[in-house]
Amino acid sequence: MAPKTDISSSAKAAPQTKVTGKVVLLAKSPQLYWFSAHVASIVSFAAWQVFGIFSRKQAQRYSRLTLFFQLACYAIVIKQSVKLSPANLKVQLLRNENVQYFVFAAVLLATSVQLEPWTKAVMPFMIYSFFHAMTYFQKNLLEHAPLSLHTQAALDGRITYIASNFNLQALFFASFSELMLLLDIALGIPGLLFSVFRNPLYVVFFTLRSFAVLVFLKLRYDESQYTKQAVQQMDARISVFLSNPMVPPQLGAIYFGPVKSAVVKYAGMVLIPKIASQKKTQ
């Protein structure tokens, strides 16, 4: 009769080999590097917020690392998922959400040579990274983590709860955060007058980044229902505020007149022919 220890070791060998094989497959997949880039970006963002309080140099360093890892995330997913046809190539690229975020992150990284780190602009990236990394961990890595089955089940339930109850709110918050970039631009414009002669490169980079934000937001408005909802909600809130009897009517006249007309006019200049839109897989 064969020793029981041999039977036991054989029984354990099969599942262990199966687990090892799956881990090896994961290690060879681009998705694991995509996940790792998301995690690295989140860690860099956290370091930026902590160490950036004490050092401008550290803030610049970690903000650039955050954007670099975001570029890696989008580069991987674009290579894996974007299928382009020779016809209307430029239109397809501009309409693709992953390409839009990749180019926007590239502009933020390039303009960081002269401009201060912009936390608000990177916040939507962090929201997406958090949910992507969390979901990937749940589906591919949790079962291999050195944790008890009870702990794994608890984590799985918690992740499912967060994804089910906060995903839509997070998407809307990300879109609203992107719209709030316009406020930062408006507040920064008066300071340009003092930088024209003192630091003209700052004016050039600020203008480039602002233009990129405007184009990016117009593209997002065309493609994202959450951005449309954010715009409508913001417009409704402003309208309610301006209709208050305590607010001077001149402000309402300015907003409903030249301001809205300018937004419609210049937003309409960013016009790309419609094609079948590609869903965001990043």
Side-chain angles (χ1 to χ4, degrees):
M1 181 180 293
K4 291 184 179 180
T5 52
D6 290 344
I7 296 175
S8 176
S9 61
S10 298
K12 292 179 180 179
Q16 184 175 359
T17 302
K18 184 177 180 180
V19 169
T20 303
K22 187 172 182 179
V23 171
V24 171
L25 288 176
L26 286 175
K28 292 181 179 180
S29 68
Q31 285 72 26
L32 181 62
Y33 300 100
W34 170 82
F35 164 79
S36 301
H38 276 302
V39 173
S41 184
I42 294 172
V43 172
S44 297
F45 181 79
W48 167 12
Q49 302 309 305
V50 174
F51 299 113
I53 298 175
F54 309 102
S55 171
R56 178 181 176 182
K57 182 178 179 181
Q58 292 298 325
Q60 283 282 19
R61 176 188 178 188
Y62 286 112
S63 68
R64 290 170 181 170
L65 279 175
T66 301
L67 290 168
F68 171 80
F69 287 121
Q70 283 297 319
L71 288 174
C73 294
Y74 282 98
I76 292 172
V77 77
I78 288 171
K79 182 179 179 182
Q80 293 293 312
S81 66
V82 175
K83 307 298 181 183
L84 302 173
S85 61
N88 300 320
L89 179 61
K90 292 182 180 180
V91 176
Q92 292 177 72
L93 288 174
L94 287 172
R95 284 291 179 189
N96 186 275
E97 293 177 304
N98 293 303
V99 174
Q100 292 170 9
Y101 278 94
F102 178 87
V103 173
F104 186 48
V107 171
L108 293 176
L109 181 58
T111 55
S112 69
V113 175
Q114 283 288 325
L115 306 180
E116 294 291 329
W118 201 3
T119 299
K120 195 177 294 181
V122 181
M123 188 62 68
F125 290 94
M126 292 300 99
I127 293 173
Y128 298 138
S129 284
F130 173 77
F131 280 92
H132 286 310
M134 180 179 64
T135 303
Y136 181 90
F137 174 78
Q138 178 188 33
K139 292 182 178 179
N140 298 281
L141 301 179
L142 180 57
E143 62 179 324
H144 306 306
L147 303 170
S148 66
L149 293 178
H150 175 75
T151 303
Q152 288 182 8
L155 279 175
D156 182 74
R158 178 57 57 181
I159 292 173
T160 300
Y161 175 81
I162 293 173
S164 301
N165 291 276
F166 299 104
N167 186 55
L168 292 179
Q169 293 93 321
L171 291 174
F172 179 80
F173 179 76
S175 297
F176 191 80
S177 297
E178 291 167 356
L179 285 179
M180 293 306 294
L181 300 181
L182 295 174
L183 178 61
D184 284 6
I185 293 174
L187 294 176
I189 289 176
L192 295 182
L193 300 176
F194 300 97
S195 302
V196 171
F197 300 105
R198 185 180 61 184
N199 189 0
L201 273 179
Y202 175 87
V203 178
V204 172
F205 278 79
F206 182 91
T207 303
L208 172 63
R209 190 177 70 176
S210 300
F211 177 74
V213 169
L214 295 176
V215 174
F216 173 74
L217 289 178
K218 177 55 169 62
L219 294 174
R220 298 306 309 127
Y221 181 83
D222 289 343
E223 296 296 316
S224 172
Q225 61 173 322
Y226 303 105
T227 303
K228 284 188 176 70
Q229 291 174 6
V231 170
Q232 293 166 359
Q233 188 174 114
M234 180 180 292
D235 179 58
R237 289 180 178 179
I238 294 174
S239 299
V240 169
F241 172 76
L242 293 176
S243 63
N244 191 306
M246 301 295 292
V247 177
Q250 292 83 356
L251 291 179
I254 293 173
Y255 175 74
F256 294 110
V259 171
K260 275 199 167 185
S261 297
V263 170
V264 173
K265 176 182 177 180
Y266 292 107
M269 295 174 65
V270 184
L271 184 61
I272 303 171
K274 287 286 186 181
I275 60 171
S277 62
Q278 302 179 43
K279 295 298 182 180
K280 183 174 185 288
T281 55
Q282 216 288 68

